[in-house]
Each structure stands twice: as C-alpha cells, then as structure tokens.
Amino acid sequence: MTKAAVIILAGTETHPDVGRLVNGLEAAKEFAEAEGDELELVFDGAGTQWVPKLEDPDSDYHDLYRAVQDDAGVCDFCAGAFGVDDAVNDSGAVRLDDHDGHPSVRSLVEDGYEVITF
C-alpha cells in the first residue's frame, strides 16, 4: 500500500504550467486506480486557479480531473488570494486550512504520505 499526496502548485498562465497540471493529475489518477493505495490531491498556491477551469465540462482536462476529484482538496487561504473562492465553493471541494489557513504538509508527512509536487 502506497500513500501519496500530489500537490498542484502550477498556475494557469503558461504551456509548462499546463504540462505540470496534466502530469500531476495523471500521477494522481495512477494512485487512485491502484488497489490499496491512498491519495490526497491538493490544489495549493497558484494551482487553486485550476479548479474553475477543470470544473468546466468543455475543458480538455475535465474528465481527467473528474477521475480524481473525490480525492481533491483546495487551500482555503490561496483560493481567496487567487480569486477563486466562489468557484471552489461551487465545486464542493474540501477546503484545507489545517495550518494558518493552508494545508498542513507536515501532517501529510507525519501520516506517511509521500509528497509529490507539480
């Protein structure tokens, strides 16, 4: 059994950002599909800007996102800082605020998760 925390930090502005998002979602999907693996997918920092884009059914990556959406959480502080509060609320994603309004990476490590950032 593997425990993986995939953290999407890439913004939405460049082609390399899109590449990091897709690679992160593909990695998350691989863990989600593996029998017995545990996955935490976290949209943090500029990565929170992906939530409204991925929620759009016309997005090229909507289906990939839907495959891992149940394992996703969003940084509470960063959703506000990057102007996507309403979209995150509408998505139903869990808002993470364990450490000063942000997700706790330490807690993930303490719980035995391998942390992978994109």
Side-chain angles (χ1 to χ4, degrees):
M1 176 177 87
T2 301
K3 295 171 80 170
V6 174
I7 302 177
I8 306 291
L9 296 164
T12 59
E13 295 183 7
T14 69
H15 186 69
D17 288 334
V18 174
R20 283 188 286 280
L21 167 75
V22 173
N23 283 305
L25 291 177
E26 284 290 349
K29 183 179 175 206
E30 184 177 5
F31 287 109
E33 293 175 344
E35 186 70 32
D37 282 2
E38 293 183 32
L39 169 66
E40 293 287 335
L41 173 61
V42 178
F43 290 89
D44 201 357
T48 60
Q49 296 171 313
W50 282 109
V51 173
K53 295 178 181 310
L54 294 170
E55 286 285 327
D56 181 351
D58 293 330
S59 166
D60 290 341
Y61 311 109
H62 178 74
D63 290 339
L64 181 57
Y65 169 68
R66 297 279 296 158
V68 293
Q69 183 178 18
D70 290 343
D71 298 304
V74 180
C75 176
D76 184 54
F77 180 86
C78 293
F82 285 91
V84 293
D85 264 327
D86 290 341
V88 169
N89 289 339
D90 292 345
S91 76
V94 175
R95 295 179 75 106
L96 305 170
D97 63 356
D98 315 275
H99 180 71
D100 295 336
H102 299 274
S104 173
V105 175
R106 183 187 181 286
S107 291
L108 290 168
V109 171
E110 183 178 50
D111 290 342
Y113 283 85
E114 183 74 31
V115 176
I116 306 165
T117 59
F118 289 89

